[in-house]
Amino acid sequence: MSDLIRRCVAPLSVAGTLFALSHANASDAIGASGRGDVPADRLHEKKNQKAPNSNRNFESGDVENLTVKGHGFNTMHQNLGLSRMPQDVLHTAQTIDVVPQELMRQQNVKSLDEALRNVPGVTSSIGEGAGGMNGDQFLIRGFQAQNDIYEDGLRDFGVYSRDSFNLETVSVIKGPSSEVFGNGTTGGAINMITKSPTLANRYAAEFSGGSGSYYRGTLDINQKINDSTAFQLSGMGDEHNVVGRDYIYSHRWGVAPSIAFGLGKRATLVLQYMHQSENSVPDFGVPVVTKPGAAYGQPITAYGIRRTNFYGTSSDQNATNDNMETARFTYKLNDHIMFYDDLRGGQYYRTFAASKATCDTTCVDNYFDGNAANALVARSGPNGAGKGVGAGTYMAPLPYQQQSWSVQNVASMVANFRTGFLKHQLVAGFDLERVSDRREQSTYLKAKPYASLVNPNPYVGNLDLVSGDSNPGGLVNLGGIGAKANSNGYGFDTGLFLFDQVWFTDWLSVKGGFRWDRWQTTYNVTGGDVSKYPDKHFHDVSGVFNPNVSLIVTPDSHQTYYFTWASSTTPMGMYVTNGSVPIRPGTNSFASPEKAQLYEVGAKYSLFHDRMGFTASLFRLDKGNALNADPVTGQIESSSDRQRNQGLELSAGGVILPGWNVTATYALYDSDTTSSATAANRGKNVQYVPHNQATLWTAYNAFSNKPYNFMVGGGVTWRQHVWLNAANTVRAPANLDFSAVISHRFNEHWKISMNGYNLANRLNYQSLFSNRVTPSAGRMFLGELSMVY
């Protein structure tokens, strides 16, 4: 990594300069929020029990009650809301990016996808059942993470676009974390902290409207019932089109009630329910083509095709109905031992039909040879339109109906104790989860007509949708599986975890532990023409062991230095709900699990009276038997490739001066394929990993106590170009997005604001896949009126 370290010296010098941007007179500080019980925007006069990190003795009754004023932009003291990770961000030996609620408020964030645009290294992907507005499909540091989305530490198995109406904060825990979360987490894990009842009454409502026929309303009520019981209700309705994309829209609504018993007592129980429904059009974007004579391919919109072009049909649909019921129990046995038990059930329903454009060689030649009127794209199937002979295409992606359910229970204990002169924090517990999925494939009796590359028409009439069993010839033939109409399967995981942090002195500690999992998956394909393609049943059992060790140095309560080694395993069959083929037959190599190892050294600071937080980390992430998505079907497959991503990540956040907040991140990545069965791919960059990426957001409150007060802010997100395939022959151009906000408070209860997005109206690309990309929304403005009592 010596070459990488030399390239990192200059950015580190910039970070050192940022340290000097603080004003010594301001005294804002932030406290941990304890499993998300206190909203980030209401960190006023709350009591915290300090996490047992450095410079503390664990004697009986050694509990500090602190009264602080907090500001959500220095996230170093942010509690992660996970019993399995009891320390705050500052004292956790891993790169963690937190998107605080106040930042989401200033940016008027409306979805998980929008929140994660503040985090470098997170990319939206178009996979099976995905697309611009159809399901969160993320990659972290270039590696698949659609199965690594968590809510309050429990896995969210649904495939839907998660709205932000019930979110407090969003954290991205970078690098393998299988010892905490179980199988998966190759690139990292995304954890959302949801709103939870508190003993402070609060009534809030917001209404937004603007470009793209955007209408949105949210409601947030928190009501104290008695000295230890409270009720909370969040609701949302959202309807909008997408600026710069024809025919794309989303209608969704959601409600999330919760009630908490025993607040402030030894035993606390929180019961939560979340429902979200959506009806939208899936956007599979525009094709990526290689212009004759060009060194690499780009989106067709880079060559004069309108960004608004939609190559789908009027039959395309994404209808989701998602429900989750959660019970979170906490019991304080004494000053040293805490018990936690979190239980969740989920039910997910989806009706899905989409189209994807394929512009083949004939299409490309016609367009660039001046014969654009004859440039035709196919809307489905692995082949293009050619010269347009025939009625069209029938194949993938085919419509289907999906029903999934899941249940997970995580029980854990956190114990603080001594053995002689050594101090310990021990975390132990078990994790049981099961997820089941059933799909019924449909087919079209009529072909999808070819579309004009220049002027596509989505109105293709009735395509005669029927079940796959009644039209076996219209089903997609998958290698080793056949053309099957129906599928069902389940995954069942039993996990045991144990890790201990041991302090040799007040400033030196070692944390080590492991998690053992037994992952069992069954996958069945039935129906269709069974005489030609018999029903098949696959079963896989994997026992995996993932250790983790960290060396942590904390000279004082404001700084931490660490070295971490961690591992993760992703068995075949993990993608039960968000992959069309959880288990795919093949060679032993292809059926083997994906494995990853992380080496990371980092530093974290909370300085200037806890007003500013800074992080810097160098990492190397090695992945074996890498999982990739098939460009035609979207199914997740093992490739047998070995990949490496290494780099530098920097962040700074907090209050520079009273009323002036800032959040900034920078990432430098150096990725390559170190081993591949395809010799030409060796040494090439890993798909979807930019070389450079950065974000900046800052806002200033002027005349805050005057009738003429206002807040003005803005920021930029930048991502260098990324390669879309393993051969590095096609790529998506760089993204550059400018945004801004201005707001005014009429009094302590009412506020009006205006947000502007993509102010330069640049042609950016948000969701990526190996042969197509989705253009981001164009310039848009959104006004908001909010009320808080």
Side-chain angles (χ1 to χ4, degrees), residues 702-724:
F703 313 109
S704 58
N705 297 320
K706 304 294 183 180
Y708 45 85
N709 70 86
F710 67 91
M711 182 194 71
V712 61
V716 58
T717 61
W718 170 64
R719 183 192 70 208
Q720 200 170 0
H721 70 264
V722 295
W723 295 104
L724 300 177

Short mmCIF file of all heavy atoms in Angstrom, two decimals, residues 702-724:
data_model
loop_
_atom_site.label_atom_id
_atom_site.label_comp_id
_atom_site.label_asym_id
_atom_site.label_seq_id
_atom_site.Cartn_x
_atom_site.Cartn_y
_atom_site.Cartn_z
N ALA A 702 -28.66 33.01 9.98
CA ALA A 702 -28.39 34.43 10.21
C ALA A 702 -29.54 35.08 10.99
O ALA A 702 -30.71 34.79 10.73
CB ALA A 702 -28.20 35.16 8.88
N PHE A 703 -29.18 35.93 11.95
CA PHE A 703 -30.16 36.69 12.74
C PHE A 703 -31.22 35.76 13.34
O PHE A 703 -32.43 35.99 13.22
CB PHE A 703 -30.83 37.76 11.86
CG PHE A 703 -29.88 38.56 11.05
CD1 PHE A 703 -29.83 38.41 9.67
CD2 PHE A 703 -29.02 39.47 11.65
CE1 PHE A 703 -28.95 39.14 8.90
CE2 PHE A 703 -28.13 40.22 10.88
CZ PHE A 703 -28.09 40.05 9.50
N SER A 704 -30.76 34.70 13.98
CA SER A 704 -31.66 33.64 14.42
C SER A 704 -32.73 34.13 15.40
O SER A 704 -33.80 33.53 15.49
CB SER A 704 -30.86 32.50 15.05
OG SER A 704 -30.08 32.99 16.14
N ASN A 705 -32.47 35.20 16.15
CA ASN A 705 -33.44 35.69 17.13
C ASN A 705 -34.21 36.91 16.64
O ASN A 705 -34.88 37.58 17.43
CB ASN A 705 -32.73 36.02 18.45
CG ASN A 705 -32.11 34.79 19.09
OD1 ASN A 705 -32.70 33.71 19.07
ND2 ASN A 705 -30.91 34.95 19.64
N LYS A 706 -34.11 37.22 15.36
CA LYS A 706 -34.76 38.39 14.80
C LYS A 706 -35.93 37.98 13.91
O LYS A 706 -35.95 36.87 13.37
CB LYS A 706 -33.76 39.21 13.98
CG LYS A 706 -32.51 39.64 14.74
CD LYS A 706 -32.84 40.61 15.86
CE LYS A 706 -31.55 41.09 16.55
NZ LYS A 706 -31.85 42.03 17.66
N PRO A 707 -36.90 38.87 13.74
CA PRO A 707 -38.01 38.56 12.84
C PRO A 707 -37.56 38.35 11.40
O PRO A 707 -38.23 37.65 10.63
CB PRO A 707 -38.92 39.78 12.96
CG PRO A 707 -38.57 40.40 14.27
CD PRO A 707 -37.11 40.14 14.46
N TYR A 708 -36.42 38.95 11.01
CA TYR A 708 -35.94 38.82 9.65
C TYR A 708 -34.87 37.73 9.53
O TYR A 708 -33.98 37.79 8.68
CB TYR A 708 -35.39 40.16 9.15
CG TYR A 708 -34.50 40.89 10.14
CD1 TYR A 708 -33.13 40.60 10.25
CD2 TYR A 708 -35.05 41.86 10.99
CE1 TYR A 708 -32.34 41.27 11.16
CE2 TYR A 708 -34.25 42.54 11.90
CZ TYR A 708 -32.90 42.25 11.98
OH TYR A 708 -32.11 42.91 12.88
N ASN A 709 -34.94 36.72 10.37
CA ASN A 709 -33.98 35.62 10.33
C ASN A 709 -34.09 34.85 9.01
O ASN A 709 -35.13 34.83 8.35
CB ASN A 709 -34.21 34.68 11.50
CG ASN A 709 -35.50 33.89 11.35
OD1 ASN A 709 -35.55 32.84 10.72
ND2 ASN A 709 -36.58 34.42 11.94
N PHE A 710 -33.01 34.20 8.64
CA PHE A 710 -33.04 33.29 7.50
C PHE A 710 -31.89 32.30 7.62
O PHE A 710 -30.88 32.57 8.30
CB PHE A 710 -32.96 34.04 6.17
CG PHE A 710 -31.64 34.73 5.93
CD1 PHE A 710 -30.60 34.08 5.27
CD2 PHE A 710 -31.44 36.05 6.36
CE1 PHE A 710 -29.39 34.73 5.06
CE2 PHE A 710 -30.24 36.69 6.14
CZ PHE A 710 -29.21 36.03 5.48
N MET A 711 -32.03 31.17 6.99
CA MET A 711 -30.95 30.20 6.85
C MET A 711 -30.68 30.01 5.37
O MET A 711 -31.61 29.86 4.57
CB MET A 711 -31.30 28.85 7.47
CG MET A 711 -30.14 27.84 7.39
SD MET A 711 -30.62 26.14 7.74
CE MET A 711 -31.57 25.73 6.29
N VAL A 712 -29.41 30.01 5.00
CA VAL A 712 -29.02 29.77 3.62
C VAL A 712 -27.93 28.71 3.61
O VAL A 712 -27.04 28.70 4.48
CB VAL A 712 -28.54 31.07 2.93
CG1 VAL A 712 -27.32 31.65 3.63
CG2 VAL A 712 -28.24 30.82 1.46
N GLY A 713 -28.02 27.78 2.70
CA GLY A 713 -27.03 26.72 2.65
C GLY A 713 -26.95 26.11 1.26
O GLY A 713 -27.75 26.41 0.36
N GLY A 714 -25.99 25.26 1.08
CA GLY A 714 -25.83 24.60 -0.20
C GLY A 714 -24.71 23.59 -0.15
O GLY A 714 -23.98 23.47 0.85
N GLY A 715 -24.59 22.85 -1.22
CA GLY A 715 -23.55 21.84 -1.24
C GLY A 715 -23.34 21.27 -2.62
O GLY A 715 -24.00 21.65 -3.60
N VAL A 716 -22.41 20.34 -2.70
CA VAL A 716 -22.06 19.71 -3.95
C VAL A 716 -21.73 18.24 -3.67
O VAL A 716 -21.18 17.90 -2.61
CB VAL A 716 -20.84 20.41 -4.60
CG1 VAL A 716 -19.63 20.40 -3.67
CG2 VAL A 716 -20.49 19.79 -5.94
N THR A 717 -22.13 17.38 -4.57
CA THR A 717 -21.68 15.99 -4.56
C THR A 717 -21.00 15.71 -5.89
O THR A 717 -21.48 16.13 -6.95
CB THR A 717 -22.86 15.01 -4.36
OG1 THR A 717 -23.78 15.16 -5.44
CG2 THR A 717 -23.56 15.28 -3.04
N TRP A 718 -19.89 15.01 -5.83
CA TRP A 718 -19.09 14.73 -7.02
C TRP A 718 -18.62 13.29 -6.99
O TRP A 718 -18.17 12.79 -5.94
CB TRP A 718 -17.89 15.68 -7.09
CG TRP A 718 -16.89 15.31 -8.16
CD1 TRP A 718 -17.08 15.30 -9.50
CD2 TRP A 718 -15.54 14.86 -7.95
NE1 TRP A 718 -15.94 14.90 -10.16
CE2 TRP A 718 -14.98 14.62 -9.22
CE3 TRP A 718 -14.76 14.65 -6.80
CZ2 TRP A 718 -13.67 14.17 -9.39
CZ3 TRP A 718 -13.45 14.20 -6.97
CH2 TRP A 718 -12.91 13.97 -8.26
N ARG A 719 -18.77 12.64 -8.10
CA ARG A 719 -18.28 11.29 -8.27
C ARG A 719 -17.60 11.17 -9.61
O ARG A 719 -18.16 11.51 -10.64
CB ARG A 719 -19.44 10.28 -8.19
CG ARG A 719 -18.99 8.82 -8.28
CD ARG A 719 -20.17 7.89 -8.49
NE ARG A 719 -20.76 8.05 -9.82
CZ ARG A 719 -22.03 7.81 -10.12
NH1 ARG A 719 -22.87 7.44 -9.17
NH2 ARG A 719 -22.48 7.97 -11.36
N GLN A 720 -16.35 10.73 -9.61
CA GLN A 720 -15.63 10.54 -10.85
C GLN A 720 -16.29 9.42 -11.66
O GLN A 720 -17.12 8.66 -11.13
CB GLN A 720 -14.17 10.20 -10.55
CG GLN A 720 -13.22 10.45 -11.70
CD GLN A 720 -11.76 10.32 -11.26
OE1 GLN A 720 -11.46 10.05 -10.10
NE2 GLN A 720 -10.84 10.51 -12.20
N HIS A 721 -15.93 9.31 -12.94
CA HIS A 721 -16.54 8.28 -13.78
C HIS A 721 -16.30 6.89 -13.18
O HIS A 721 -15.32 6.66 -12.46
CB HIS A 721 -15.97 8.34 -15.20
CG HIS A 721 -14.53 7.90 -15.28
ND1 HIS A 721 -13.47 8.78 -15.26
CD2 HIS A 721 -13.96 6.66 -15.37
CE1 HIS A 721 -12.32 8.12 -15.34
NE2 HIS A 721 -12.60 6.83 -15.41
N VAL A 722 -17.20 5.97 -13.49
CA VAL A 722 -17.08 4.59 -13.02
C VAL A 722 -17.21 3.64 -14.19
O VAL A 722 -17.98 3.89 -15.14
CB VAL A 722 -18.13 4.25 -11.94
CG1 VAL A 722 -17.92 5.07 -10.69
CG2 VAL A 722 -19.55 4.45 -12.46
N TRP A 723 -16.47 2.54 -14.14
CA TRP A 723 -16.58 1.50 -15.15
C TRP A 723 -17.78 0.62 -14.81
O TRP A 723 -18.04 0.31 -13.65
CB TRP A 723 -15.31 0.67 -15.21
CG TRP A 723 -14.12 1.46 -15.66
CD1 TRP A 723 -13.10 1.94 -14.89
CD2 TRP A 723 -13.83 1.88 -17.00
NE1 TRP A 723 -12.21 2.65 -15.65
CE2 TRP A 723 -12.63 2.62 -16.96
CE3 TRP A 723 -14.48 1.70 -18.22
CZ2 TRP A 723 -12.06 3.17 -18.10
CZ3 TRP A 723 -13.91 2.26 -19.36
CH2 TRP A 723 -12.71 2.98 -19.30
N LEU A 724 -18.49 0.20 -15.85
CA LEU A 724 -19.74 -0.55 -15.65
C LEU A 724 -19.58 -2.05 -15.85
O LEU A 724 -20.52 -2.80 -15.55
CB LEU A 724 -20.81 -0.02 -16.62
CG LEU A 724 -21.17 1.46 -16.47
CD1 LEU A 724 -22.18 1.87 -17.53
CD2 LEU A 724 -21.72 1.73 -15.07
#
